[in-house]
CSV table of all heavy atoms in Angstrom, one decimal:
chain,number,residue,atom,x,y,z
R,9,LYS,N,48.9,117.7,120.4
R,9,LYS,CA,49.3,118.5,119.4
R,9,LYS,C,48.3,119.3,118.7
R,9,LYS,O,48.5,120.5,118.4
R,9,LYS,CB,49.9,117.4,118.3
R,9,LYS,CG,51.2,116.8,118.6
R,9,LYS,CD,52.3,117.8,118.7
R,9,LYS,CE,52.9,118.1,117.3
R,9,LYS,NZ,54.1,118.9,117.3
R,10,ARG,N,47.0,118.7,118.7
R,10,ARG,CA,45.8,119.5,118.1
R,10,ARG,C,45.4,120.7,119.1
R,10,ARG,O,45.3,121.8,118.6
R,10,ARG,CB,44.6,118.6,118.0
R,10,ARG,CG,43.5,119.3,117.3
R,10,ARG,CD,42.4,118.2,116.9
R,10,ARG,NE,42.0,117.5,118.1
R,10,ARG,CZ,42.2,116.1,118.3
R,10,ARG,NH1,43.0,115.5,117.3
R,10,ARG,NH2,41.9,115.5,119.3
R,11,ALA,N,45.6,120.4,120.3
R,11,ALA,CA,45.4,121.4,121.4
R,11,ALA,C,46.1,122.7,121.3
R,11,ALA,O,45.7,123.9,121.3
R,11,ALA,CB,45.2,120.9,122.7
R,12,PHE,N,47.5,122.3,121.1
R,12,PHE,CA,48.5,123.5,121.0
R,12,PHE,C,48.4,124.2,119.6
R,12,PHE,O,48.5,125.3,119.6
R,12,PHE,CB,49.9,122.9,121.0
R,12,PHE,CG,50.4,122.7,122.5
R,12,PHE,CD1,50.3,121.4,123.2
R,12,PHE,CD2,50.9,123.8,123.2
R,12,PHE,CE1,50.7,121.4,124.3
R,12,PHE,CE2,51.3,123.6,124.5
R,12,PHE,CZ,51.3,122.4,125.0
R,13,LYS,N,48.0,123.4,118.6
R,13,LYS,CA,47.8,124.1,117.4
R,13,LYS,C,46.5,124.9,117.3
R,13,LYS,O,46.5,126.1,116.7
R,13,LYS,CB,47.6,122.9,116.2
R,13,LYS,CG,47.4,123.6,114.8
R,13,LYS,CD,47.3,122.5,113.8
R,13,LYS,CE,47.2,123.1,112.4
R,13,LYS,NZ,47.1,122.0,111.4
R,14,GLU,N,45.5,124.6,118.0
R,14,GLU,CA,44.2,125.3,118.1
R,14,GLU,C,44.2,126.4,119.2
R,14,GLU,O,43.3,127.0,119.4
R,14,GLU,CB,43.0,124.3,118.3
R,14,GLU,CG,42.8,123.5,117.1
R,14,GLU,CD,41.7,122.4,117.2
R,14,GLU,OE1,41.2,122.2,118.4
R,14,GLU,OE2,41.5,121.7,116.3
R,15,ARG,N,45.4,126.5,119.9
R,15,ARG,CA,45.6,127.3,121.0
R,15,ARG,C,44.6,127.4,122.2
R,15,ARG,O,44.1,128.3,122.7
R,15,ARG,CB,45.6,128.8,120.4
R,15,ARG,CG,46.6,129.1,119.2
R,15,ARG,CD,46.4,130.5,118.6
R,15,ARG,NE,47.3,130.7,117.4
R,15,ARG,CZ,47.3,131.8,116.7
R,15,ARG,NH1,46.7,132.8,117.0
R,15,ARG,NH2,48.2,131.9,115.6
R,16,THR,N,44.3,126.1,122.4
R,16,THR,CA,43.4,125.9,123.6
R,16,THR,C,44.1,125.7,124.9
R,16,THR,O,43.6,125.4,125.9
R,16,THR,CB,42.3,124.7,123.3
R,16,THR,OG1,43.1,123.5,123.1
R,16,THR,CG2,41.5,125.1,122.1
R,17,VAL,N,45.4,125.6,124.8
R,17,VAL,CA,46.3,125.3,126.1
R,17,VAL,C,46.6,126.8,126.6
R,17,VAL,O,47.0,127.6,125.9
R,17,VAL,CB,47.6,124.6,125.7
R,17,VAL,CG1,48.5,124.4,126.8
R,17,VAL,CG2,47.3,123.2,125.0
R,18,ASP,N,46.4,126.8,127.9
R,18,ASP,CA,46.7,128.1,128.6
R,18,ASP,C,48.2,128.1,129.1
R,18,ASP,O,48.4,127.3,130.1
R,18,ASP,CB,45.8,128.3,129.6
R,18,ASP,CG,45.9,129.7,130.3
R,18,ASP,OD1,46.4,130.6,129.8
R,18,ASP,OD2,45.4,129.9,131.4
R,19,LYS,N,49.0,128.9,128.5
R,19,LYS,CA,50.4,128.8,128.8
R,19,LYS,C,50.8,130.1,129.6
R,19,LYS,O,50.7,131.2,128.9
R,19,LYS,CB,51.4,128.6,127.7
R,19,LYS,CG,51.2,127.4,126.8
R,19,LYS,CD,52.0,127.4,125.5
R,19,LYS,CE,51.3,128.3,124.5
R,19,LYS,NZ,52.1,128.2,123.2
R,20,VAL,N,51.0,130.1,130.8
R,20,VAL,CA,51.2,131.3,131.6
R,20,VAL,C,52.6,131.3,132.0
R,20,VAL,O,53.2,130.5,132.7
R,20,VAL,CB,50.3,131.3,132.8
R,20,VAL,CG1,50.4,132.7,133.6
R,20,VAL,CG2,48.8,131.1,132.4
R,21,TYR,N,53.3,132.5,131.7
R,21,TYR,CA,54.8,132.7,132.1
R,21,TYR,C,54.9,133.9,133.1
R,21,TYR,O,54.0,134.8,132.9
R,21,TYR,CB,55.6,133.0,130.9
R,21,TYR,CG,55.8,131.8,129.9
R,21,TYR,CD1,54.8,131.5,129.1
R,21,TYR,CD2,57.0,131.1,129.8
R,21,TYR,CE1,54.8,130.4,128.2
R,21,TYR,CE2,57.1,130.1,128.9
R,21,TYR,CZ,56.1,129.7,128.1
R,21,TYR,OH,56.2,128.7,127.2
R,22,HIS,N,55.7,133.8,133.9
R,22,HIS,CA,56.2,134.9,134.7
R,22,HIS,C,57.7,135.4,134.2
R,22,HIS,O,58.5,134.6,133.9
R,22,HIS,CB,56.2,134.6,136.2
R,22,HIS,CG,54.9,134.7,136.7
R,22,HIS,ND1,54.7,134.6,138.2
R,22,HIS,CD2,53.5,134.7,136.1
R,22,HIS,CE1,53.2,134.7,138.5
R,22,HIS,NE2,52.6,134.8,137.2
R,23,ALA,N,57.8,136.7,134.1
R,23,ALA,CA,59.0,137.3,133.5
R,23,ALA,C,59.2,138.6,134.2
R,23,ALA,O,58.4,139.3,134.7
R,23,ALA,CB,58.9,137.4,132.1
R,24,VAL,N,60.6,138.9,134.3
R,24,VAL,CA,60.9,140.2,134.7
R,24,VAL,C,61.6,141.1,133.7
R,24,VAL,O,62.6,140.5,133.1
R,24,VAL,CB,61.9,140.2,136.0
R,24,VAL,CG1,62.3,141.6,136.4
R,24,VAL,CG2,61.2,139.5,137.1
R,25,ALA,N,61.0,142.2,133.3
R,25,ALA,CA,61.5,143.0,132.3
R,25,ALA,C,62.0,144.2,132.8
R,25,ALA,O,61.7,144.8,133.9
R,25,ALA,CB,60.4,143.3,131.2
R,26,GLN,N,63.0,144.7,132.1
R,26,GLN,CA,63.7,146.0,132.5
R,26,GLN,C,62.7,147.2,132.3
R,26,GLN,O,61.9,147.2,131.4
R,26,GLN,CB,65.0,146.3,131.7
R,26,GLN,CG,66.1,145.3,131.8
R,26,GLN,CD,67.4,145.7,131.2
R,26,GLN,OE1,68.3,144.9,131.3
R,26,GLN,NE2,67.4,146.9,130.7
R,27,GLY,N,62.7,148.2,133.3
R,27,GLY,CA,62.0,149.3,133.2
R,27,GLY,C,60.5,149.2,133.6
R,27,GLY,O,60.3,148.0,134.1
R,28,HIS,N,59.6,150.1,133.2
R,28,HIS,CA,58.4,150.1,133.6
R,28,HIS,C,57.5,150.2,132.3
R,28,HIS,O,57.7,151.1,131.5
R,28,HIS,CB,57.9,151.3,134.6
R,28,HIS,CG,58.7,151.2,135.8
R,28,HIS,ND1,59.0,152.3,136.6
R,28,HIS,CD2,59.1,150.2,136.5
R,28,HIS,CE1,59.7,152.0,137.6
R,28,HIS,NE2,59.8,150.6,137.7
R,29,LEU,N,56.6,149.3,132.1
R,29,LEU,CA,55.9,149.2,130.8
R,29,LEU,C,54.7,150.1,130.9
R,29,LEU,O,54.0,150.2,132.0
R,29,LEU,CB,55.4,147.8,130.5
R,29,LEU,CG,56.4,146.8,129.9
R,29,LEU,CD1,57.4,146.3,131.0
R,29,LEU,CD2,55.7,145.6,129.3
R,30,ASP,N,54.4,150.8,129.8
R,30,ASP,CA,53.3,151.8,129.8
R,30,ASP,C,52.6,151.5,128.4
R,30,ASP,O,53.3,151.9,127.3
R,30,ASP,CB,53.8,153.2,129.8
R,30,ASP,CG,52.6,154.2,129.9
R,30,ASP,OD1,51.5,153.8,130.0
R,30,ASP,OD2,52.9,155.3,129.6
R,31,PRO,N,51.4,151.0,128.3
R,31,PRO,CA,50.4,150.7,129.4
R,31,PRO,C,51.0,149.4,130.2
R,31,PRO,O,51.8,148.7,129.8
R,31,PRO,CB,49.1,150.4,128.7
R,31,PRO,CG,49.6,149.9,127.4
R,31,PRO,CD,50.8,150.6,127.1
R,32,THR,N,50.4,149.3,131.5
R,32,THR,CA,50.8,148.1,132.3
R,32,THR,C,50.2,146.9,131.9
R,32,THR,O,50.5,145.8,132.5
R,32,THR,CB,50.5,148.6,133.7
R,32,THR,OG1,49.0,148.9,133.8
R,32,THR,CG2,51.3,149.7,134.3
R,33,ALA,N,49.3,147.0,130.9
R,33,ALA,CA,48.7,145.6,130.4
R,33,ALA,C,48.4,145.9,128.9
R,33,ALA,O,48.1,146.9,128.5
R,33,ALA,CB,47.4,145.3,131.1
R,34,GLY,N,48.7,144.9,128.1
R,34,GLY,CA,48.6,145.1,126.7
R,34,GLY,C,48.8,143.8,125.9
R,34,GLY,O,49.2,142.7,126.4
R,35,THR,N,48.8,143.9,124.6
R,35,THR,CA,49.1,142.8,123.7
R,35,THR,C,50.1,143.3,122.8
R,35,THR,O,50.0,144.3,122.0
R,35,THR,CB,47.8,142.4,122.9
R,35,THR,OG1,46.9,142.0,123.9
R,35,THR,CG2,48.0,141.3,121.9
R,36,VAL,N,51.1,142.3,122.4
R,36,VAL,CA,52.0,142.6,121.3
R,36,VAL,C,51.7,141.6,120.2
R,36,VAL,O,51.5,140.4,120.3
R,36,VAL,CB,53.5,142.3,121.7
R,36,VAL,CG1,54.4,142.6,120.7
R,36,VAL,CG2,53.8,143.0,122.9
R,37,ASP,N,51.2,142.1,119.0
R,37,ASP,CA,50.9,141.3,117.9
R,37,ASP,C,51.9,141.7,116.8
R,37,ASP,O,51.7,142.7,115.9
R,37,ASP,CB,49.4,141.6,117.5
R,37,ASP,CG,49.0,140.8,116.4
R,37,ASP,OD1,49.8,140.0,115.7
R,37,ASP,OD2,47.7,140.7,116.0
R,38,ALA,N,52.9,140.9,116.7
R,38,ALA,CA,54.1,141.3,115.8
R,38,ALA,C,54.8,140.2,115.2
R,38,ALA,O,55.1,139.2,115.9
R,38,ALA,CB,55.1,142.2,116.4
R,39,PRO,N,54.9,139.9,113.8
R,39,PRO,CA,55.4,138.7,113.3
R,39,PRO,C,56.9,138.4,113.7
R,39,PRO,O,57.7,139.4,113.7
R,39,PRO,CB,55.3,138.9,111.9
R,39,PRO,CG,55.3,140.4,111.6
R,39,PRO,CD,54.6,140.9,112.8
R,40,ILE,N,57.3,137.2,113.9
R,40,ILE,CA,58.6,136.9,114.3
R,40,ILE,C,59.2,135.9,113.3
R,40,ILE,O,58.7,135.0,112.8
R,40,ILE,CB,58.6,136.2,115.7
R,40,ILE,CG1,58.2,137.2,116.8
R,40,ILE,CG2,60.0,135.6,116.1
R,40,ILE,CD1,58.2,136.6,118.2
R,41,GLY,N,60.5,136.2,113.0
R,41,GLY,CA,61.3,135.4,112.0
R,41,GLY,C,62.7,135.4,112.4
R,41,GLY,O,63.1,136.0,113.4
R,42,ARG,N,63.5,134.8,111.7
R,42,ARG,CA,65.0,134.8,111.9
R,42,ARG,C,65.5,136.1,111.9
R,42,ARG,O,65.1,136.9,111.2
R,42,ARG,CB,65.7,134.0,110.8
R,42,ARG,CG,65.5,132.4,110.8
R,42,ARG,CD,66.3,131.7,111.8
R,42,ARG,NE,66.1,130.4,111.9
R,42,ARG,CZ,66.7,129.5,112.8
R,42,ARG,NH1,67.5,130.0,113.7
R,42,ARG,NH2,66.4,128.3,112.8
R,43,HIS,N,66.5,136.4,112.8
R,43,HIS,CA,67.3,137.8,112.8
R,43,HIS,C,68.0,137.8,111.7
R,43,HIS,O,68.6,137.0,111.1
R,43,HIS,CB,68.2,137.7,114.1
R,43,HIS,CG,68.6,139.1,114.4
R,43,HIS,ND1,69.6,139.7,113.8
R,43,HIS,CD2,68.3,140.0,115.5
R,43,HIS,CE1,69.8,140.8,114.3
R,43,HIS,NE2,69.1,141.0,115.3
R,44,PRO,N,67.9,139.1,111.0
R,44,PRO,CA,68.5,139.3,109.8
R,44,PRO,C,70.0,139.1,109.7
R,44,PRO,O,70.6,138.9,108.6
R,44,PRO,CB,68.1,140.8,109.3
R,44,PRO,CG,67.6,141.4,110.6
R,44,PRO,CD,67.1,140.3,111.5
R,45,THR,N,70.7,139.3,110.9
R,45,THR,CA,72.1,139.3,110.9
R,45,THR,C,72.8,138.3,111.9
R,45,THR,O,73.9,138.1,112.1
R,45,THR,CB,72.7,140.6,111.3
R,45,THR,OG1,72.2,141.2,112.6
R,45,THR,CG2,72.4,141.7,110.3
R,46,SER,N,71.8,137.6,112.7
R,46,SER,CA,72.3,136.5,113.6
R,46,SER,C,71.6,135.3,113.5
R,46,SER,O,70.5,135.2,113.6
R,46,SER,CB,72.1,137.1,115.1
R,46,SER,OG,72.5,136.3,116.1
R,47,ASP,N,72.4,134.2,113.4
R,47,ASP,CA,71.9,133.0,113.1
R,47,ASP,C,71.1,132.4,114.3
R,47,ASP,O,70.2,131.5,114.1
R,47,ASP,CB,73.0,131.9,112.7
R,47,ASP,CG,73.6,132.2,111.4
R,47,ASP,OD1,72.9,132.9,110.5
R,47,ASP,OD2,74.7,131.8,111.2
R,48,TYR,N,71.6,132.8,115.5
R,48,TYR,CA,70.9,132.2,116.7
R,48,TYR,C,69.9,133.1,117.4
R,48,TYR,O,69.5,132.7,118.4
R,48,TYR,CB,72.1,131.7,117.7
R,48,TYR,CG,73.1,130.9,117.0
R,48,TYR,CD1,74.2,131.2,116.6
R,48,TYR,CD2,72.7,129.5,117.0
R,48,TYR,CE1,75.1,130.3,116.0
R,48,TYR,CE2,73.7,128.6,116.3
R,48,TYR,CZ,74.8,128.9,115.9
R,48,TYR,OH,75.6,128.1,115.4
R,49,LYS,N,69.5,134.2,116.7
R,49,LYS,CA,68.4,135.0,117.3
R,49,LYS,C,67.3,135.2,116.4
R,49,LYS,O,67.4,134.8,115.2
R,49,LYS,CB,69.1,136.3,117.6
R,49,LYS,CG,70.1,136.3,118.7
R,49,LYS,CD,70.9,137.7,118.8
R,49,LYS,CE,69.9,138.9,119.0
R,49,LYS,NZ,70.7,140.1,119.1
R,50,PHE,N,66.2,135.6,116.9
R,50,PHE,CA,65.0,136.0,116.3
R,50,PHE,C,64.6,137.3,116.4
R,50,PHE,O,65.3,138.1,117.2
R,50,PHE,CB,63.9,135.1,116.6
R,50,PHE,CG,64.0,133.6,116.3
R,50,PHE,CD1,65.0,132.7,117.1
R,50,PHE,CD2,63.6,133.0,115.2
R,50,PHE,CE1,65.3,131.5,116.8
R,50,PHE,CE2,63.8,131.8,114.9
R,50,PHE,CZ,64.6,130.9,115.7
R,51,ALA,N,63.7,137.9,115.5
R,51,ALA,CA,63.3,139.3,115.6
R,51,ALA,C,62.1,139.5,115.1
R,51,ALA,O,61.4,138.7,114.4
R,51,ALA,CB,64.3,140.1,114.8
R,52,VAL,N,61.4,140.7,115.4
R,52,VAL,CA,60.3,141.1,114.8
R,52,VAL,C,60.6,141.5,113.3
R,52,VAL,O,61.3,142.5,113.0
R,52,VAL,CB,59.5,142.2,115.5
R,52,VAL,CG1,58.4,142.9,114.6
R,52,VAL,CG2,58.9,141.8,116.8
R,53,VAL,N,60.1,140.7,112.4
R,53,VAL,CA,60.4,141.0,110.8
R,53,VAL,C,59.1,140.9,110.0
R,53,VAL,O,58.3,140.1,110.2
R,53,VAL,CB,61.5,140.1,110.4
R,53,VAL,CG1,62.8,140.2,111.1
R,53,VAL,CG2,60.9,138.6,110.5
R,54,GLU,N,59.3,141.7,109.0
R,54,GLU,CA,58.2,141.6,107.9
R,54,GLU,C,58.2,140.3,107.3
R,54,GLU,O,59.3,139.7,106.9
R,54,GLU,CB,58.4,142.8,106.9
R,54,GLU,CG,57.2,142.9,105.9
R,54,GLU,CD,57.4,144.0,104.8
R,54,GLU,OE1,58.3,144.8,105.2
R,54,GLU,OE2,56.7,144.1,103.9
C-alpha cells in the first residue's frame, strides 16, 4: 500500500488507441473526477 501511494510500483500497460498520436511520446497531466453528466464515467474536470 505504501509503495503504490509513493508511486514506486512500475505499472506498464499496452493499449491500442484510435488514430495516430502526435507527438508519438508524451505525458498527459490532467485532473480526473466524476463525469458531470454520467454516473458511471469519469472525465478530465477542474
Side-chain angles (χ1 to χ4, degrees):
K9 288 291 281 188
R10 184 168 58 251
F12 276 98
K13 183 177 181 180
E14 294 174 353
R15 305 179 185 178
T16 59
V17 178
D18 189 18
K19 299 174 285 183
V20 183
Y21 292 75
H22 281 190
V24 175
Q26 290 186 188
H28 299 151
L29 281 75
D30 184 15
T32 56
T35 296
V36 185
D37 185 350
I40 291 176
R42 290 278 178 184
H43 194 284
T45 60
S46 176
D47 290 341
Y48 300 101
K49 290 171 61 178
F50 293 79
V52 171
V53 294
E54 186 177 351

